[in-house]
Amino acid sequence: MNFRIYSPAASLAPYVKHYYHLQNANDGLLHLPQNLFSLGDLYMVFLQEGEVTFQPEQHAAFTLPKAAVVGHFTCHHTIKVQGPVKMTVVQLNAYGCYKLAGLNMSAFNNYYRDLLKQDNGQWQHLVEAINATTDYMQLDASLDKAFMEMMATQEHSLKQMDEVADYMLRHQGHVNIDRLVRKFKISRPTLERKFMEVIGITPQLYARMLRFRDAMRHMQQMNVEQWQSFITKSEGYNQDLFNQDFQFFKGSESTITRMPVAQTMAVA
């Protein structure tokens, strides 16, 4: 299996986090990390060959089209890949899809959107550019160029919701709606409506994801005794809430997509 990780151009930050390219010539069902798609992020998937099927625990299974946006995953999911496979994945932050694609995320309620069914021909152009790439050391340059051109023509404003999402991220989700309303001087109904439009989930659920992800990150570095102390001392977070979140998000923490990378890396 050939798996590469690329860093996007600095001008695309923070909307685009990483690019990934997976290629495997073997027939049949391929074994991939079940947590390749991490909690709280969005992904564009461009499938050149093969079949990718998702089975969310709380949703009907779906097979991806040739070009799609996938996420936010709010429950555990399994991934089945039928080879031979060749696919390119773009990892976005919570509001990256709205910024790059201008899609109304409040209508994004089935975990994926077929990009080739959108009115704008830019997605077909991007698919053709990826298919035309034969030197995968240059794949990141092709994607950078396409996304920078896309952003230059994008007229959709983030409506302050990028600032709200970044603030929540800095505080690892340990904020409540009343605090956000006061800080950003916006009514609760307007905050929730705009957050849904730009991010695609409610601010309450996004905060819950961030708190759980932060708890898991700390607990991976602790022994059992330290876990109990961490959960007990966390402001606004306790053992009961963590247990509820674990049952809701179980298995959703990422592995490969959390690997820090400063340049193109061949993983396997």
Side-chain angles (χ1 to χ4, degrees):
M1 181 184 295
N2 183 16
F3 185 79
R4 292 182 178 274
I5 302 177
Y6 311 79
S7 289
S11 59
L12 292 173
Y15 317 114
V16 182
K17 290 187 171 183
H18 291 107
Y19 303 132
Y20 308 96
H21 183 75
L22 171 68
Q23 191 167 348
N24 192 312
N26 295 333
D27 291 320
L29 193 64
L30 303 180
H31 296 285
L32 296 182
Q34 291 298 305
N35 302 320
L36 178 60
F37 292 81
S38 65
L39 186 68
D41 286 335
L42 291 166
Y43 295 83
M44 291 180 182
V45 180
F46 300 96
L47 189 61
Q48 297 164 266
E49 189 176 6
E51 182 178 280
V52 179
T53 301
F54 287 85
Q55 175 61 76
E57 192 171 80
Q58 301 171 9
H59 191 279
F62 58 88
T63 299
L64 289 186
K66 295 298 182 183
V69 176
V70 185
H72 293 280
F73 284 101
T74 56
C75 63
H76 177 57
H77 60 279
T78 56
I79 310 169
K80 292 183 180 179
V81 178
Q82 190 73 23
V85 66
K86 185 189 296 184
M87 68 177 178
T88 299
V89 180
V90 181
Q91 183 185 15
L92 306 170
N93 75 355
Y95 50 85
C97 184
Y98 186 91
K99 177 63 178 179
L100 293 178
L103 297 177
N104 183 336
M105 301 303 290
S106 62
F108 201 137
N109 55 11
N110 285 314
Y111 284 131
Y112 80 99
R113 179 78 62 85
D114 188 342
L115 290 173
L116 295 183
K117 290 185 177 179
Q118 305 305 307
D119 294 334
N120 198 325
Q122 61 191 356
W123 300 113
Q124 182 61 46
H125 176 72
L126 180 53
V127 168
E128 291 170 358
I130 293 173
N131 291 344
T133 301
T134 55
D135 180 2
Y136 288 102
M137 294 299 292
Q138 300 298 318
L139 179 61
D140 55 336
S142 298
L143 292 169
D144 285 345
K145 181 175 183 294
F147 286 129
M148 284 188 284
E149 290 176 352
M150 199 177 293
M151 277 211 314
T153 61
Q154 185 56 253
E155 298 178 355
H156 288 77
S157 166
L158 286 167
K159 302 181 179 181
Q160 198 183 27
M161 292 304 104
D162 55 329
E163 297 176 23
V164 175
D166 287 344
Y167 178 80
M168 295 171 74
L169 181 59
R170 286 196 301 273
H171 289 81
Q172 298 300 335
H174 293 283
V175 295
N176 56 39
I177 297 299
D178 291 338
R179 183 175 169 183
L180 294 174
V181 165
R182 290 194 302 270
K183 177 172 179 59
F184 291 96
K185 298 178 174 60
I186 188 172
S187 71
R188 179 170 182 149
T190 300
L191 170 65
E192 293 179 338
R193 175 177 55 80
K194 288 185 175 181
F195 202 89
M196 280 292 297
E197 182 179 349
V198 173
I199 309 297
I201 54 178
T202 65
Q204 295 94 327
L205 180 54
Y206 185 62
R208 186 180 183 184
M209 284 182 172
L210 294 177
R211 288 194 300 269
F212 177 72
R213 192 167 66 181
D214 184 51
M216 290 298 294
R217 184 163 49 240
H218 279 84
M219 292 175 71
Q220 287 169 356
Q221 302 169 3
M222 299 175 181
N223 58 36
V224 175
E225 291 77 12
Q226 291 173 313
W227 288 4
Q228 296 173 341
S229 175
F230 171 75
I231 292 297
T232 303
K233 293 179 181 178
S234 294
E235 180 183 355
Y237 209 54
N238 56 42
Q239 185 71 50
D240 289 340
L241 288 175
F242 176 77
N243 289 342
Q244 291 175 23
D245 286 351
F246 182 80
Q247 290 302 316
F248 190 69
F249 295 127
K250 62 182 178 180
S252 295
E253 266 301 273
S254 169
T255 51
I256 289 179
T257 54
R258 290 177 58 206
M259 293 175 62
V261 59
Q263 57 187 358
T264 302
M265 176 187 294
V267 176

